[in-house]
Amino acid sequence: MARAATTEDAFNAVAEPRRREILDALAAGERTVGELVDRLDLAQPHVSRHLRVLREVGAVHVRDEGRQRIYSLNAEALKPIYAWVAGYEHLWAERFDLLEDVLDEMKQQDS
Amino acid sequence: MARAATTEDAFNAVAEPRRREILDALAAGERTVGELVDRLDLAQPHVSRHLRVLREVGAVHVRDEGRQRIYSLNAEALKPIYAWVAGYEHLWAERFDLLEDVLDEMKQQDS
DNA sequence: CAATCATATATCCATATTGATATGTTTTGA
DNA sequence: TCAAAACATATCAATATGGATATATGATTG
């Protein structure tokens, strides 16, 4: 079996840096494909392809306006990523919770 | 150019579901390769390979103990993912901040 | 020292990819 | 109506993949 398709889920779609750049750009507001091409310094077909991947995982929406297509962010598609990684956050975050510190000290005294 | 290597960064490493499973298992405590094989129902060479990818992006550490290798989680390697996706969290989260609601209302009255 | 256990590595296969380039397709404007 | 603008799609090349399988490595045991 080969690697999972980038359209498999948000995790795979977002593994590509250019696609994260696109999402970052859209976080500031809707953009036209041409605007994204300018901003990313990437050929238009590549931008269109990345947008397609993002569309397939539901991370962006499109709206037709004349001969332009206006892309907008759908951040909810990133929820599963946040949900997963947030479960790890407490493992590196500094603890400001005093109770937790006290409990740690008690454990040390026990051992 | 082909797709980026899974060892390129944490984003790529974590795109693979089995590797997330491994990290999830390690979040509960150190595990031996054999324990991970049992837990994941995956052939040992595959587990070893996934562990290697996770090692190369710094998401796990290894410790030798006789003929076993004990893997442990290094959650800090996931920080960049958290940092990136957390920037989107406010876009879908319900707002409980009263001030923000008031400001939104004022904006609406202006327009 | 030989045999075994616990892992790691090597090779093969099928596949999905990214960038480059060429070519549609639809809308707009003269 | 014809040409240009704005996108989308198709194809090609090079490559990295993940699973399967076989094999190598290193530690332990008898």
Side-chain angles (χ1 to χ4, degrees), chain A:
Chain A
M1 195 187 274
R3 203 202 296 209
T6 54
T7 54
E8 181 82 5
D9 55 35
F11 283 95
N12 280 282
V14 151
E16 168 65 29
R18 320 307 287 262
R19 285 195 283 267
R20 290 201 299 277
E21 285 184 49
I22 290 178
L23 294 179
D24 290 343
L26 293 180
E30 329 181 293
R31 302 263 181 248
T32 222
V33 175
E35 289 172 339
L36 291 171
V37 168
D38 292 344
R39 199 172 282 255
L40 294 189
D41 193 39
L42 196 62
Q44 174 265 315
H46 301 152
V47 173
S48 284
R49 202 168 242 306
H50 283 314
L51 284 169
R52 183 181 173 169
V53 171
L54 292 172
R55 232 165 38 208
E56 292 197 33
V57 300
V60 299
H61 289 150
V62 213
R63 177 163 55 86
D64 279 35
E65 185 135 330
R67 59 185 164 187
Q68 302 191 319
R69 303 224 172 152
I70 301 178
Y71 281 84
S72 57
L73 180 68
N74 181 39
E76 295 206 18
L78 305 177
K79 257 182 170 173
I81 301 175
Y82 180 80
W84 180 76
V85 78
Y88 289 85
E89 192 263 349
H90 72 281
L91 293 175
W92 68 70
E94 294 187 34
R95 284 173 286 97
F96 294 105
D97 189 325
L98 190 58
L99 175 61
E100 203 167 341
D101 288 345
V102 173
L103 289 173
D104 281 354
E105 271 181 47
M106 289 170 67
K107 274 188 201 160
Q108 273 201 316
Q109 289 179 351
D110 280 356
S111 61

Side-chain angles (χ1 to χ4, degrees), chain B residues 42-87:
Chain B
L42 196 63
Q44 174 266 315
H46 302 154
V47 174
S48 283
R49 202 170 240 306
H50 284 313
L51 284 169
R52 182 176 177 181
V53 171
L54 293 172
R55 233 165 37 209
E56 291 197 34
V57 300
V60 300
H61 289 152
V62 212
R63 176 163 55 86
D64 280 36
E65 186 135 330
R67 58 186 164 188
Q68 300 191 319
R69 303 224 172 152
I70 301 177
Y71 280 84
S72 57
L73 180 67
N74 180 39
E76 294 205 19
L78 305 178
K79 256 181 171 174
I81 301 175
Y82 180 80
W84 180 76
V85 79

